[in-house]
């Protein structure tokens, strides 16, 4: 696979230096339906060979399956050449349903012990609670993480889906490398307060949902269907008239992409890349064949006029449906 050299950027003022695009592992463990483990492993290898060194996972992705998959895939690689970002704290029942979040200091240490074992490593580069635990002050959670930094089990502390005030509280306890949060042409809520606060505090952004879980691609414009187990079958933006309305926005973006000679997915990734060198898109890919398209975005430049045209084609007020179903939205500190 031939691509342009991948540039690097630092996560915030205190975080690690990472490839300008990261690889997200969630889709490799059943979130979008059955995945091919051999192909997923080959995709991880191909991504690393191409220069992508940031791999993002969560200990609850497939109830530990994703960490074990990644652990096997990186077993023969040089540890120092990888940047592992891991989310913890999500609690799941045997049926796969989320049953809450646990960010108590003793739970943090327990979760980390299991992640280190499943990944087959002796430290994690960026470790972060998946969500804010409303029953545990963020200062207590970050304090426990700071102890683990001192002990060498983690290198940096990150956060996920928290609001500006929580960022301030956390940063007062220990430097925060980055905030992982949804950010895309169709999800621009962080621009009002969260992104400016992160920048003021020297906290980087790892952006997930850059393709809005496949909306910002040709999949649903072509009438794509959900595989068994695909969580999008219950996601508001993919339901009924919401999906119809959102596909119209994607159609408008596709016209802009076609005029520029790129795919709508490439346009969406390039838009996030253009919003600042402190923002690292984390793209989920389950197959090697997607990597050239993803990496090709590094060669796409967007002018200020083009950025404005893209944003005008998909104004936030016209995006139909919330990012998550009601129960999940209610626990998002970033949405308060």
């Amino acid at each position: 696979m031939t691509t342009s050299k991948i540039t690097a950027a630092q996560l915030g003022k205190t975080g690690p230096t990472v490839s300008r695009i990261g690889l997200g592992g969630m889709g490799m463990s059943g979130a979008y339906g059955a995945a091919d483990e051999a192909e997923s492993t080959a995709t991880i290898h191909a991504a690393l060979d191409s220069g992508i060194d940031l791999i993002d996972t969560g200990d609850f992705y497939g109830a530990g399956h994703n960490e074990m998959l990644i652990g096997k895939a990186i077993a023969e690689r040089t540890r120092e050449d990888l940047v592992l970002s891991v989310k913890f704290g999500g609690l799941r029942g045997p049926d796969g349903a989320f049953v809450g979040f646990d960010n108590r200091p003793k739970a943090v240490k327990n979760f980390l012990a299991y992640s280190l074992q499943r990944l087959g490593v002796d430290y994690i580069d960026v470790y972060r609670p998946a969500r804010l635990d409303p029953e545990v002050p963020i200062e207590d959670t970050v304090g426990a993480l700071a102890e683990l930094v001192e002990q060498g089990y983690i290198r940096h502390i990150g956060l996920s889906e928290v609001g500006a005030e929580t960022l301030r509280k956390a940063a007062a306890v220990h430097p925060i490398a980055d905030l992982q949060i949804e950010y895309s042409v169709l999800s621009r809520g962080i621009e009002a307060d969260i992104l400016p606060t992160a920048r003021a505090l020297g906290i980087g952004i790892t952006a997930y949902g850059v393709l809005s879980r496949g909306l910002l691609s040709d999949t649903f414009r072509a009438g794509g269907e959900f595989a068994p187990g695909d969580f999008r079958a219950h996601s508001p933006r993919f339901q009924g008239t919401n999906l119809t309305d959102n596909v119209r926005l994607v159609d408008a973006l596709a016209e802009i992409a076609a005029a520029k000679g790129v795919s709508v997915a490439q346009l969406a990734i390039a838009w996030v890349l253009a919003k600042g060198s402190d923002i690292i898109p984390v793209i989920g890919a389950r197959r090697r064949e997607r990597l050239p398209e993803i990496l090709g975005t590094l060669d796409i430049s967007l002018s200020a006029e083009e950025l404005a045209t893209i944003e005008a084609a998909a104004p936030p007020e016209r995006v139909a449906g919330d990012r998550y179903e009601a129960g999940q939205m209610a626990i998002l500190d970033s949405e308060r």
Side-chain angles (χ1 to χ4, degrees):
M1 180 171 57
T2 58
T3 63
S4 299
K5 180 176 175 59
I6 298 179
T7 56
Q10 185 177 10
L11 283 182
K13 291 182 178 178
T14 63
T17 298
V18 300
S19 53
R20 196 65 181 85
I21 291 176
L23 177 68
M26 186 179 76
M28 299 178 181
S29 295
Y32 300 115
D36 181 331
E37 190 160 317
E39 180 60 28
S40 294
T41 299
T43 301
I44 294 170
H45 288 164
L48 293 172
D49 291 341
S50 74
I52 293 176
D53 60 13
L54 174 63
I55 301 178
D56 181 80
T57 184
D59 62 9
F60 49 90
Y61 289 173
H65 172 271
N66 200 239
E67 288 183 320
M68 291 187 286
L69 171 70
I70 291 170
K72 292 177 183 177
I74 66 173
E76 303 302 320
R77 301 288 175 144
T78 302
R79 175 66 184 91
E80 290 71 28
D81 292 341
L82 310 170
V83 180
L84 295 175
S85 168
V86 179
K87 293 180 288 298
F88 70 86
L91 305 177
R92 306 189 80 158
D95 61 352
F98 277 99
V99 295
F101 294 91
D102 189 351
N103 293 350
R104 293 171 299 159
K106 63 182 180 181
V108 172
K109 297 172 183 178
N110 177 72
F111 290 135
L112 177 62
Y114 283 95
S115 286
L116 292 172
Q117 179 70 23
R118 287 188 290 254
L119 287 163
V121 298
D122 56 11
Y123 71 91
I124 289 172
D125 297 278
V126 187
Y127 199 51
R128 70 184 81 246
R131 298 287 187 269
L132 181 69
D133 183 340
E135 298 182 4
V136 180
I138 190 62
E139 294 90 342
D140 292 356
T141 302
V142 173
L145 290 168
E147 291 180 17
L148 295 169
V149 171
E150 292 175 3
Q151 294 165 5
Y153 293 114
I154 63 177
R155 297 289 171 85
H156 304 278
I157 299 172
L159 294 171
S160 178
E161 286 290 353
V162 300
E165 184 57 30
T166 300
L167 279 179
R168 296 185 190 98
K169 290 178 180 178
V173 176
H174 188 278
I176 304 299
D178 73 308
L179 169 66
Q180 189 169 113
I181 196 163
E182 184 167 352
Y183 187 45
S184 73
V185 176
L186 300 183
S187 296
R188 308 210 296 262
I190 71 169
E191 293 177 342
D193 192 19
I194 294 174
L195 180 56
T197 299
R199 284 174 166 162
L201 294 170
I203 297 171
I205 299 290
T206 42
Y208 76 90
V210 171
L211 299 180
S212 291
R213 298 168 180 81
L215 261 180
L216 290 166
S217 70
D218 290 327
T219 301
F220 292 94
R221 295 178 63 232
E225 297 182 354
F226 302 111
D230 191 328
F231 86 96
R232 292 175 295 187
H234 308 286
S235 178
R237 290 185 177 175
F238 292 85
Q239 303 305 304
T241 58
N242 284 354
L243 179 58
T244 302
D245 292 343
N246 291 331
V247 167
R248 289 196 187 100
L249 298 180
V250 179
D251 285 342
L253 293 169
E255 290 183 10
I256 299 171
K260 197 168 177 64
V262 302
S263 70
V264 66
Q266 287 181 313
L267 189 77
I269 299 170
W271 179 86
V272 172
L273 286 167
K275 299 303 283 188
S277 60
D278 56 344
I279 302 175
I280 306 297
V282 175
I283 311 298
R286 293 185 289 172
R287 306 192 67 82
R288 286 166 286 179
E289 63 193 35
R290 288 201 57 212
L291 292 175
E293 179 184 23
I294 292 168
L295 294 171
T297 61
L298 295 167
D299 296 322
I300 300 171
S301 61
L302 297 173
S303 67
E305 182 179 358
E306 288 174 317
L307 289 172
T309 299
I310 292 167
E311 290 161 17
E317 64 273 12
R318 288 185 56 197
V319 178
D322 288 329
R323 298 195 284 135
Y324 293 95
E325 51 84 22
Q328 288 289 315
M329 287 294 292
I331 62 174
L332 288 179
D333 184 63
S334 56
E335 293 287 340
R336 296 174 186 168

